[in-house]
Amino acid sequence: SQKIEQNSEALNIQEGKTATLTCNYTNYSPAYLQWYRQDPGRGPVFLLLIRENEKEKRKERLKVTFDTTLKQSLFHITASQPADSATYLCALDIPSGNTPLVFGKGTRLSVIA
Amino acid sequence: EAQVTQNPRYLITVTGKKLTVTCSQNMNHEYMSWYRQDPGLGLRQIYYSMNVEVTDKGDVPEGYKVSRKEKRNFPLILESPSPNQTSLYFCASSLSWQGYGGYTFGSGTRLTVV
């Protein structure tokens, strides 16, 4: 079955630096990959989607890359701020099977002022 | 405002007492889904629905029921709740099951079964 690994449970960085979060997957090659932000006790909020034929996607201070050879997506937040502190989830589709989106367990990012 | 509305936000109940968690979306989305989230286990899908009257099991369906009689509503039913169903529950919807525009999640229902 598809397995998704997000590089670490928690990541601490200094304000103003670039945060880089990793999402690795095994087995199937997804057609697209999504990133979500989740604040404690709240529902995930959709941020970005990147398709398999796209190498990079940007939205304001966010950048996502998708390397199908490495089976990896990187999620970058540039000029990070304390307000960026949250858990970030990656999710990907399965070409076959009955679970349209599979979510990773998330990485908890803390931006320290 | 486009949103997914879940009720209640918090619920404490006793073992065996049937309960329903409601979910409603106002975006005319075809696809709806229920997840539970537990520490260390991430989001796990319980049931999903591709459209009205079409539902299917996710990864952890045991002990749960759903129905999709109307496009906007997708209630989650626990016929006989047990303590291992204590969890944070999320309803989500999307224009299509592929989720190209992303999933919209509700604010969550924190359920405690004692």
Side-chain angles (χ1 to χ4, degrees):
Chain A
S1 62
Q2 186 67 283
K3 191 176 174 184
I4 305 173
E5 285 183 359
Q6 296 195 238
N7 58 327
S8 58
E9 281 193 26
L11 180 67
N12 297 328
I13 64 162
Q14 207 73 30
E15 182 177 7
K17 301 289 187 187
T18 296
T20 298
L21 284 64
T22 305
C23 178
N24 295 299
Y25 58 91
T26 59
N27 300 339
Y28 306 111
S29 293
Y32 57 90
L33 192 146
Q34 303 184 18
W35 284 90
Y36 290 78
R37 169 186 172 136
Q38 186 176 23
D39 292 290
R42 311 295 294 181
V45 175
F46 172 72
L47 296 175
L48 281 167
L49 178 150
I50 185 165
R51 298 177 192 275
E52 60 178 337
N53 61 350
E54 297 175 314
K55 290 281 188 269
E56 183 179 296
K57 202 84 168 275
R58 289 176 187 261
K59 179 182 175 184
E60 297 171 353
R61 293 184 296 110
L62 308 180
K63 184 177 88 170
V64 172
T65 61
F66 194 5
D67 189 325
T68 54
T69 303
L70 292 178
K71 298 195 173 187
Q72 181 181 82
S73 174
L74 298 179
F75 177 80
H76 307 273
I77 306 175
T78 57
S80 59
Q81 305 164 0
D84 295 325
S85 298
T87 295
Y88 292 87
L89 309 171
C90 70
L92 50 84
D93 72 311
I94 306 297
S96 61
N98 64 358
T99 308
L101 265 195
V102 177
F103 284 84
K105 294 179 183 177
T107 296
R108 189 171 66 252
L109 174 68
S110 296
V111 181
I112 303 158
Chain B
E1 181 190 352
Q3 60 186 358
V4 174
T5 303
Q6 283 179 240
N7 280 300
R9 282 279 281 140
Y10 301 92
L11 180 59
I12 301 174
T13 190
V14 296
T15 299
K17 186 176 180 183
K18 180 179 178 180
L19 66 92
T20 300
V21 183
T22 63
C23 174
S24 180
Q25 50 94 2
N26 62 359
M27 296 165 282
N28 202 35
H29 283 172
E30 287 193 350
Y31 178 81
M32 297 186 75
S33 180
W34 276 102
Y35 292 85
R36 62 177 287 174
Q37 189 172 40
D38 302 287
L41 296 177
L43 278 168
R44 294 182 293 167
Q45 191 175 51
I46 304 170
Y47 269 95
Y48 64 95
S49 170
M50 299 286 198
N51 213 325
V52 176
E53 301 292 2
V54 180
T55 63
D56 211 342
K57 296 177 182 178
D59 297 320
V60 289
E62 291 75 26
Y64 304 95
K65 282 175 56 176
V66 293
S67 68
R68 188 94 182 270
K69 295 190 173 73
E70 313 162 274
K71 200 170 191 176
R72 63 184 294 124
N73 295 323
F74 190 46
L76 179 70
I77 302 154
L78 285 72
E79 294 270 1
S80 183
S82 62
N84 65 11
Q85 292 178 298
T86 293
S87 187
L88 180 57
Y89 291 85
F90 291 104
C91 180
S93 74
S94 178
L95 200 56
S96 67
W97 69 267
Q98 293 94 336
Y100 290 138
Y103 285 12
T104 301
F105 282 82
S107 297
T109 295
R110 189 169 291 281
L111 172 66
T112 303
V113 183
V114 297

